Structure formats: structure tokens, C-alpha cells
Amino acid sequence: MVITIVKANKYQLADSFQKTREMEQKIQVLALFDKSKKIVKKLPQEIINTAPIRKYVDVLFLDENDEINIVEFQTGGIKTKDLKRFMVYNALIAEKHNEKINVIIVYTEKVKTVCYKNGTLIFKPIVYSLKDFDGDKILKRIRYKIENNITLTRDDLNKLEFLPLFKSRLKPGEILFETANLTNQLMDIPQSQIDHIKTGQVILANWFFHDELDKKKIWKVIEMKTSMFRFIYDELEARGLEEGMKKGFERGIEQGIEQGIEQGMEKGIEEGILKGELKSKKEVARKMLSLNYSMDEIINITGLTKKEITKL
């Protein structure tokens, strides 16, 4: 019973760490586009609490100009339903506050000016696209600095983390391998800052790699041995594989009666491991659902289908 309580506390801590780190990432992305925005106070992300409906924004903060900033991050292109949702957030916050409100949308894909019109309603948020950055050029400059022992600026380190999302001739996964290797070569940088970048890379690895073998390869490069994010994933994976192996042996014994113990055990263990990995993914998906992640984010990180997630 004591062990169960300790594990529960660790999971809660890991969830909190992961969620906080992801929010920090989103604030870092904003700094790539607008360095003048200085956060003086973080505001609650929950903008309405009328049971049983709760609405959350990605990031909400008050800047030094006493302006409220709503920041939303979108994978893919423009969707009208999302613009309507952001417009509602704007209206709800405007109802409670008198300060100027900025709605900022950061897209992972290339987009033009975004504007939603419906009769007298006109919603025109500030829009940024990560594809506006020339990833190949930035990667070349950062690699040159590291190889020649030139100290990286804060902006360089920020871009190093998000390089896989920039425009490039390479695939995002390939750039992630490049940036992970470069991060391991960083000198004269506090270890806490390096771990900060690597944790962000672990999060991106779950976006770009759905194959478990590929994930393990990139994690080996990132070398995240102490990260809370890595801890929770490893715990879930180990738990799933342990149960999968157990079921695999049972399944193998059953099949062994008909097609030979050795062949049956091998196939059963293989199936059990796959089932264990699937169970791990489902546990991660359940946690993400409880934290109000969007369906697209859960699909990207776990690799599960929408149908599998809705059945949880």
C-alpha cells in the first residue's frame, strides 16, 4: 500500500512537470517571434468555470504593458472551428477584464493572414508560422558556432530546441537527431539549461516518432536519464511490457501445445510485447485526456487512432 502511494505521487509530479515544461515551450516559441513580450504575471489558463463546462487556453499571461495575451498553438493549417473557439476565448476574457487583449496563434505549418468574418463579427488574431524560419540556415549557423566553440546566445538555444518545426529540406525526425547530437556537444552551458532543452526534445520525439524502436534510438541520443518526462514514460512502458510478457508466456504455452513449445512461446511473447506497448500508450492517452489535451495532440504523441482513444 505504501509503495502504491509513493508511485501515485511520482506520477502526479511527473504529470505536473510535463505540463509545466510544455507550457514553458509554448512561451519560448512566442519569444522567437516577439522578444518584446515580457511576462510579469502568469494568469490561470482556465478562463471559465461554469460546471460542467470548462474552457482552457494554451497560455494566458499579462505583459509589462498591462496587456492580456492569449497564445494558442496549432499543428497543421487553419480550421474555422478553431478560430471560432479562440474568438470565444477572447470574448469571455474581455467580459471580465478591461485590459487590451491580444490573441496570438502559432502554427506549425505555413499560413497567411488569418481572419474570421461572420456578419458584424470580425476576428483577426496575430498569426505566426514556425515555417517562416529557415531551419537549414539556422542549423548551419548553430553547428558552426558549436564546432568553433562560439558561445550560443539565448536566442540560438531557443531555436536549437524548435529547429525540427522550422522549414527545412530534411524531415523533422532527421533534424531532431541533428539537434540532439549538437545539444550533447554544448560547452559552457549550465547543465540545467541543457536538460531543459533535452526535455523539450523528448516531447518533440513523441510528436515525430510513432515507432517504438525509432523512439528508443532518438532517446539514446538525447540521453535523458533523469528527466521526469522520461521517468513516467519508462514507468508506463515497463509496466506494459511486464504485463505483456506475462500474457505472452501464457499465450505461448497455449500455442505451444499445437505448434511446438518453442515456436509458440516465441510468437506468444512477441504478441505479448506488442500488447504491452499498446497498453502503455493507452495509459498515456488516458492521462492526457484527464489533462484536457486535444484529440490531435493525443494522436500525435501516442500514435493511437481516434477510435482507440474514444474507447478509453
Side-chain angles (χ1 to χ4, degrees):
M1 183 63 70
V2 174
I3 294 176
T4 303
I5 293 174
V6 171
K7 283 192 173 183
N9 288 337
K10 284 185 177 179
Y11 281 125
Q12 290 170 4
L13 180 59
D15 283 340
S16 176
F17 177 87
Q18 178 186 342
K19 194 71 175 175
T20 300
R21 182 64 188 93
E22 288 178 352
M23 186 171 76
E24 288 174 348
Q25 268 193 306
K26 291 168 181 177
I27 293 172
Q28 281 179 252
V29 170
L30 180 60
L32 295 175
F33 298 95
D34 189 349
K35 297 180 179 61
S36 67
K37 292 287 185 188
K38 295 182 180 179
I39 300 175
V40 296
K41 181 182 179 182
K42 289 182 182 179
L43 303 176
Q45 292 167 271
E46 184 180 345
I47 60 175
I48 185 170
N49 184 6
T50 306
I53 300 173
R54 295 189 177 194
K55 297 182 183 294
Y56 292 84
V57 298
D58 281 346
V59 179
L60 185 65
F61 67 89
L62 182 71
D63 64 28
E64 75 278 15
N65 296 318
D66 288 330
E67 295 180 1
I68 293 176
N69 296 268
I70 305 170
V71 187
E72 289 290 333
F73 295 81
Q74 290 294 103
T75 55
I78 301 168
K79 296 177 183 177
T80 302
K81 66 176 183 178
D82 292 322
L83 292 180
K84 288 182 178 179
R85 179 162 53 90
F86 303 152
M87 183 172 61
V88 170
Y89 295 166
N90 192 348
L92 290 170
I93 293 175
E95 185 180 28
K96 292 183 177 181
H97 302 274
N98 294 321
E99 292 83 1
K100 178 181 176 181
I101 300 171
N102 303 306
V103 178
I104 303 166
I105 308 177
V106 180
Y107 286 94
T108 57
E109 299 302 319
K110 184 71 176 177
V111 296
K112 297 180 180 180
T113 302
V114 174
C115 183
Y116 174 76
K117 295 182 179 180
N118 186 343
T120 58
L121 283 175
I122 299 177
F123 178 60
K124 191 175 181 180
I126 299 169
V127 174
Y128 298 126
S129 171
L130 289 170
K131 296 303 181 189
D132 288 340
F133 288 100
D134 187 334
D136 295 330
K137 186 176 179 180
I138 294 171
L139 179 59
K140 183 178 179 180
R141 185 181 73 245
I142 291 177
R143 184 189 292 117
Y144 175 82
K145 281 190 170 185
I146 291 176
E147 290 175 350
N148 290 276
N149 297 319
I150 300 173
T151 303
L152 298 186
T153 64
R154 180 179 293 275
D155 188 57
D156 289 332
L157 293 172
N158 203 5
K159 287 177 179 175
L160 177 63
E161 181 177 336
F162 297 106
L163 259 169
L165 299 174
F166 297 164
K167 180 181 178 182
S168 174
R169 293 176 289 101
L170 301 174
K171 294 179 180 179
E174 293 174 331
I175 303 178
L176 186 56
F177 269 106
E178 286 268 355
T179 55
N181 278 312
L182 287 174
T183 303
N184 289 334
Q185 299 174 42
L186 289 176
M187 302 292 288
D188 301 323
I189 302 292
Q191 188 59 45
S192 60
Q193 198 165 2
I194 293 175
D195 286 343
H196 192 78
I197 295 172
K198 286 188 173 186
T199 307
Q201 290 171 344
V202 170
I203 293 171
L204 292 180
N206 279 274
W207 281 16
F208 300 131
F209 297 103
H210 302 303
D211 181 82
E212 293 302 317
L213 185 60
D214 288 337
K215 281 186 183 180
K216 288 174 182 176
K217 286 180 181 177
I218 184 62
W219 276 3
K220 188 174 181 180
V221 176
I222 295 174
E223 297 178 336
M224 286 301 294
K225 296 178 180 178
T226 59
S227 164
M228 288 299 296
F229 186 89
R230 176 68 185 266
F231 166 79
I232 188 171
Y233 195 95
D234 279 352
E235 283 292 309
L236 291 173
E237 183 180 47
R239 188 192 304 173
L241 287 175
E242 185 179 347
E243 293 185 19
M245 286 289 285
K246 182 180 178 181
K247 291 181 180 178
F249 278 114
E250 294 172 355
R251 174 82 171 159
I253 292 172
E254 292 176 4
Q255 292 182 350
I257 295 173
E258 298 180 359
Q259 48 186 286
I261 296 294
E262 185 176 348
Q263 184 180 354
M265 286 288 284
E266 184 179 345
K267 186 175 180 180
I269 292 170
E270 200 173 291
E271 290 181 6
I273 290 174
L274 290 175
K275 287 180 181 178
E277 290 178 346
L278 178 61
K279 182 177 178 63
S280 296
K281 291 179 179 180
K282 286 183 176 180
E283 288 202 41
V284 172
R286 286 192 188 95
K287 285 182 176 292
M288 293 181 74
L289 284 170
S290 69
L291 292 170
N292 297 306
Y293 277 81
S294 69
M295 182 63 69
D296 286 342
E297 288 175 316
I298 299 175
I299 291 172
N300 283 334
I301 290 176
T302 64
L304 296 174
T305 65
K306 184 176 181 180
K307 186 176 181 181
E308 288 173 322
I309 295 169
T310 53
K311 286 183 177 180
L312 296 176

